[in-house]
Amino acid sequence: MDPHNLDRLFIISIWFESMVYGINCVLFGACIYILANRNRRSHRVLVTSCIFHILVSTAHSIISLLLSLQGLTTPSITAVPNGSSIYFVSPTTYMLTNLGLFLCNVLAQDLLLIWRLYVVWNHNWKLVIPSLILEVAHISCAIIAVFLIAQPNEHLFSHNVQAFGKASWSLGLCLNTCVTFGIAYRLWLAGRETSHLIGRNVYTAAMFTVIESGAIITSCTFVMFVLDVAGSPAGFMGFNVAVQIATTTPLLIITRLCLGLTNIGTHFDKSSSPTVTFAPVQIDVTEDSCTYPMSPMSPFATRKTGSMQSFYREV
C-alpha cells in the first residue's frame, strides 16, 4: 500500500461528500414539505426513513470533519512521514464509527427498496424473501469486514478484509439491480395493461424515476468495487460519498414521483358522476389520486390497480 496519496484521496472524498450532503438537505426539505402536507396522509415508513437517512448523513459529515481536523492538524500525527495518510486508514474510533454509519444507511436504503418491491407486487412475499436473504448475506459480509478492520492483527487492505469487502459489494450490486428492475418491470406491466384505455402509459415517468434513482447507488457501488479490485485505495475512500448517495436515492424517488407525476395527473379529469365507474390510479406519494373512466365490468378496475395504488401511496 502506497500511503503517499491517501490524504489527498481522503480530502477529495470529503469534498464530494459535502457537495452531495448539501443536495440531500434540499431534497429532505422537499420531502418533508410533501409528506407533511395537511391535506394528505403519508405512510409512516416514508417519514421515518427520510428522517433516519438525513440524521445518518449529518452525523457522518460531522465525524468526517472531525477526522479531517484530527489527521491534518494534530502535531503528533503530522510530524510522522505520511502520518496523515496512515491515520486516515487506521482503525480509529472516528473511522469505525463512520463505517458503522455507512452500513446503517445502506441497510436502511436496501430495506426501503425491498419494501417498495413488496408493495408494488401486491404484497407478494415470494419476491421479498429471496431479496431479504441476499440482503442478510450482503450486510453480514460488510459487518465481518468492519470487524476485521478493528482487529490489531488485520488492516484495511489485508486479504481477509478485502475478500469480505468485495463479496459485500458484489451482493449489494446484485440486490440493487434486481430489486430496482423488479419494481420497474411491475410498473411497465401495469402501464401496458392500461395504455389501450387512455392512449399512453401513465407509469412511464414512475418507471424511469425508479430506474434512474436506483442507478445512482448502483453506479457508485460498481465504481467502488472496480477500484477495489484494481487495488486502488480510492475504492475505500469512496464510501464517504456512497453514504450520502445512499440517502440521496430514497429522497430523490419521493421528490421526483410527487413533483413529476402530479404534472402528469393534470391531464385527467376528476368526476363525481354517479353513472360512471372509475378505477383509481395513484399518482402521488400521498393519498391524493386522479382517475380515468373505465368499463364497470373491467377486471382491471377490481384486480389490477391495488398494488399500483399502494405503490404510489406508499412509495
Side-chain angles (χ1 to χ4, degrees):
M1 179 188 67
D2 183 12
H4 290 85
N5 295 323
L6 292 179
D7 52 350
R8 294 183 180 181
L9 290 175
F10 180 80
I11 295 302
I12 292 173
S13 69
I14 296 301
W15 180 70
F16 277 110
E17 178 186 8
S18 63
M19 292 179 60
V20 181
Y21 176 69
I23 296 174
N24 288 340
C25 290
V26 176
L27 290 175
F28 175 73
C31 288
I32 293 300
Y33 174 78
I34 293 167
L35 298 175
N37 191 317
R38 293 184 178 181
N39 297 325
R40 302 164 177 172
R41 183 166 58 88
S42 304
H43 201 290
R44 61 181 178 275
V45 172
L46 295 179
V47 179
T48 303
S49 173
C50 289
I51 295 174
F52 176 81
H53 281 298
I54 198 65
L55 287 178
V56 171
S57 294
T58 301
H60 192 280
S61 296
I62 293 173
I63 294 176
S64 295
L65 175 61
L66 296 176
L67 186 61
S68 302
L69 293 175
Q70 185 77 9
L72 296 173
T73 62
T74 303
S76 59
I77 295 176
T78 56
V80 178
N82 299 316
S84 297
S85 296
I86 296 173
Y87 177 79
F88 290 142
V89 295
S90 299
T92 60
T93 301
Y94 287 150
M95 174 190 169
L96 295 176
T97 301
N98 263 359
L99 286 175
L101 291 172
F102 170 68
L103 293 183
C104 290
N105 216 25
V106 170
L107 175 61
Q109 186 262 337
D110 288 345
L111 291 178
L112 185 62
L113 192 64
I114 294 173
W115 175 72
R116 288 183 174 123
L117 179 71
Y118 171 70
V119 170
V120 78
W121 281 97
N122 203 18
H123 304 88
N124 188 350
W125 281 101
K126 293 180 180 179
L127 295 174
V128 173
I129 291 177
S131 301
L132 290 175
I133 293 174
L134 195 61
E135 177 63 15
V136 169
H138 166 220
I139 293 299
S140 296
C141 290
I143 292 175
I144 293 174
V146 174
F147 176 78
L148 290 174
I149 292 174
Q151 303 307 305
N153 57 337
E154 296 281 354
H155 58 85
L156 181 62
F157 301 100
S158 67
H159 174 74
N160 291 332
V161 173
Q162 289 293 298
F164 281 102
K166 291 172 183 176
S168 175
W169 280 338
S170 300
L171 292 169
L173 276 172
C174 180
L175 176 70
N176 278 276
T177 302
C178 292
V179 174
T180 297
F181 279 98
I183 296 173
Y185 177 67
R186 181 67 181 93
L187 293 172
W188 177 79
L189 285 179
R192 187 182 65 173
E193 292 169 346
T194 59
S195 59
H196 68 282
L197 297 169
I198 56 178
R200 63 192 183 90
N201 190 334
V202 295
Y203 298 111
T204 299
M207 182 179 66
F208 282 108
T209 295
V210 171
I211 293 175
E212 291 168 3
S213 300
I216 295 175
I217 186 64
T218 302
S219 301
C220 178
T221 305
F222 178 75
V223 170
M224 293 169 61
F225 176 73
V226 170
L227 289 173
D228 192 57
V229 170
S232 173
F236 170 76
M237 294 301 178
F239 91 91
N240 292 316
V241 183
V243 68
Q244 300 296 334
I245 293 180
T247 295
T248 304
T249 301
L251 297 181
L252 186 60
I253 289 178
I254 295 174
T255 306
R256 285 282 306 275
L257 281 179
C258 180
L259 299 181
L261 292 181
T262 298
N263 293 331
I264 293 175
T266 58
H267 296 288
F268 299 100
D269 295 326
K270 292 185 177 180
S271 173
S272 58
S273 173
T275 61
V276 182
T277 300
F278 289 86
V281 175
Q282 198 75 22
I283 53 84
D284 206 344
V285 295
T286 59
E287 289 192 346
D288 283 358
S289 61
C290 289
T291 59
Y292 56 87
M294 301 184 64
S295 170
M297 299 303 295
S298 171
F300 187 86
T302 58
R303 186 168 50 86
K304 295 294 185 180
T305 59
S307 60
M308 292 299 98
Q309 185 176 7
S310 297
F311 174 74
Y312 284 112
R313 183 175 64 250
E314 299 176 357
V315 74

